[in-house]
Amino acid sequence: MYHKEKSIQIKNSASALYNNLGVLRIAPRRLTYFTVVHANVVNMVSASWDGLNYSHRQLQSKEPNVATSTSLIMQAAFCVLPSRDLLVVTSQKGIQMYESDGSIMVYWHALDTPETPTAQAVFARGISAVWENYICVGVSSGAILVFDVPSKGSNITLSEVVEEHKEPITDIASECSGSQECIADMVSADDGGNLCVWKSGEEFQLLNKIPGFDMSCSSVKLWKGTVAAGYGTGQIRLYEAVTGILHVEINAHARWIYSLDIAPFSGLLLSAAEDSLVRVWHLTLTPETNTVEVAHLHNECVTDTQICGAKFCDGDGYAFAVTGYDLSEIIRYTQT
């Protein structure tokens, strides 16, 4: 179903972090931006759709009043809002927001670090654009920072801090299919595997809390009112967001899942794990019976590679890209 394309070389290898791949499709310019985190650097590649032209940029992790930062970057993700696209980078020191091409940093938010060192590390991780003007970022305390983003300029403000999780946030996802009022439009996951389902707005409302099983939920997605969650057990669970009813449990991988992605237009689900496998599934929702069915469509083995990032390159799931720990390339696959 998918075949391998020519790989895109990157300046540094990928760190072993969850969801370590960012993809943004720039249709008018026939470009795709990719980001991969390596230690305290974000490697950014702008690639033409024909695969012939590339340009590279590296973004350093920033710290106030420090010339060179050694702060480790935890994640880089593109946030697509109706009025603008931003690249958000999280680290042990704070949160940086850039224009989507990485050219200008428009905002910096420093994390509160305790004056006396604690056993608990401080970091930010889990990034998602939510609704029309919010970017939500998770932190190691379990809090979620809600930033209000104007349609242009750098006047970004921290509008709310949502505190429900007790363990470090691992991932945040949001979705609103079409223009109808979504009941649930954001889901957050933590190191204990707990999921919180939210409705965004002037104030974020907690709609539901789905308990974990003391096994980290590393990656989460939201699609048409269904939560897809990937766990350290190698399992994928599909829940109804509002009620928390478990629809499906799939023993998808032999090792820790590092990344999930959903192609919103086709219902394809991508899962990637430490077992070197990337799998493509197809989700079918039947509203009349309120059921979800899953079909397994495709397997791709990236030999001897601990996969740490996998993302569809478009909304239909026509192509996807994969990164692996210690691998200095982005591997791409397209439908045959």
Side-chain angles (χ1 to χ4, degrees):
M1 184 178 172
Y2 288 87
H3 69 275
K4 192 172 170 182
E5 295 279 353
K6 185 168 170 279
S7 291
I8 299 171
Q9 298 303 310
I10 48 178
K11 299 278 189 191
N12 302 95
S13 59
S15 292
L17 299 167
Y18 303 149
N19 308 304
N20 190 2
L21 177 63
V23 177
L24 178 68
R25 185 179 162 93
I26 312 286
R29 296 170 58 201
R30 300 184 67 80
L31 290 174
T32 305
Y33 295 158
F34 297 93
T35 56
V36 182
V37 174
H38 169 86
N40 62 339
V41 175
V42 178
N43 293 293
M44 189 168 176
V45 183
S46 167
S48 60
W49 287 1
D50 57 15
L52 298 176
N53 298 310
Y54 303 106
S55 66
H56 295 266
R57 170 174 264 147
Q58 289 190 312
L59 306 176
Q60 300 285 337
S61 104
K62 291 272 192 297
E63 280 180 56
N65 314 321
V66 180
T68 56
S69 169
T70 54
S71 164
L72 289 176
I73 293 174
M74 302 301 291
Q75 194 182 358
F78 291 104
C79 289
V80 177
L81 292 163
S83 57
R84 70 194 295 190
D85 302 339
L86 291 175
L87 170 62
V88 180
V89 177
T90 61
S91 71
Q92 295 172 310
K93 296 293 182 187
I95 298 158
Q96 298 156 239
M97 297 190 190
Y98 291 87
E99 295 294 358
S100 59
D101 61 0
S103 58
I104 301 164
M105 187 165 85
V106 292
Y107 184 73
W108 156 258
H109 176 86
L111 292 179
D112 298 331
T113 47
E115 290 180 13
T116 51
T118 59
Q120 194 116 29
V122 174
F123 57 86
R125 175 179 64 190
I127 305 164
S128 185
V130 180
W131 204 49
E132 292 185 346
N133 57 317
Y134 296 118
I135 287 179
C136 294
V137 180
V139 291
S140 48
S141 66
I144 297 169
L145 309 183
V146 180
F147 296 97
D148 193 336
V149 181
S151 56
K152 56 178 187 289
S154 58
N155 191 22
I156 294 166
T157 53
L158 177 63
S159 64
E160 192 180 351
V161 179
V162 183
E163 296 181 299
E164 189 62 42
H165 290 275
K166 303 289 182 281
E167 297 188 58
I169 302 292
T170 48
D171 197 18
I172 300 176
S174 76
E175 188 237 13
C176 194
S177 41
S179 56
Q180 83 263 31
E181 276 292 298
C182 286
I183 304 170
D185 58 6
M186 185 176 98
V187 60
S188 51
D190 70 24
D191 261 338
N194 305 290
L195 304 175
C196 288
V197 179
W198 306 89
K199 176 159 180 57
S200 66
E202 294 294 321
E203 288 186 353
F204 278 58
Q205 290 172 271
L206 178 70
L207 298 179
N208 190 14
K209 201 165 180 179
I210 301 169
F213 304 89
D214 290 328
M215 175 49 84
S216 184
C217 173
S218 49
S219 194
V220 71
K221 287 285 171 245
L222 189 56
W223 183 66
K224 295 190 176 178
T226 299
V227 175
Y231 296 85
T233 52
Q235 290 173 315
I236 299 170
R237 295 192 184 100
L238 302 177
Y239 294 97
E240 187 178 325
V242 178
T243 62
I245 292 168
L246 176 64
H247 283 303
V248 181
E249 184 175 78
I250 313 164
N251 293 320
H253 291 273
R255 291 182 183 274
W256 206 289
I257 292 176
Y258 262 59
S259 193
L260 292 181
D261 197 24
I262 284 185
F265 304 142
S266 59
L268 294 179
L269 171 69
L270 188 67
S271 64
E274 282 184 337
D275 60 4
S276 304
L277 289 173
V278 189
R279 296 197 148 130
V280 181
W281 316 80
H282 184 248
L283 308 186
T284 312
L285 306 184
T286 312
E288 298 79 43
T289 54
N290 197 26
T291 55
V292 179
E293 290 183 4
V294 180
H296 175 250
L297 294 186
H298 186 77
N299 250 1
E300 201 64 62
C301 181
V302 189
T303 315
D304 300 333
T305 301
Q306 177 188 326
I307 298 168
C308 47
K311 271 223 174 323
F312 285 118
C313 301
D314 56 278
D316 293 311
Y318 173 73
F320 65 86
V322 176
T323 57
Y325 173 55
D326 225 16
L327 208 62
S328 299
E329 59 180 337
I330 298 168
I331 305 167
R332 291 184 306 162
Y333 298 88
T334 53
Q335 285 188 21
T336 42

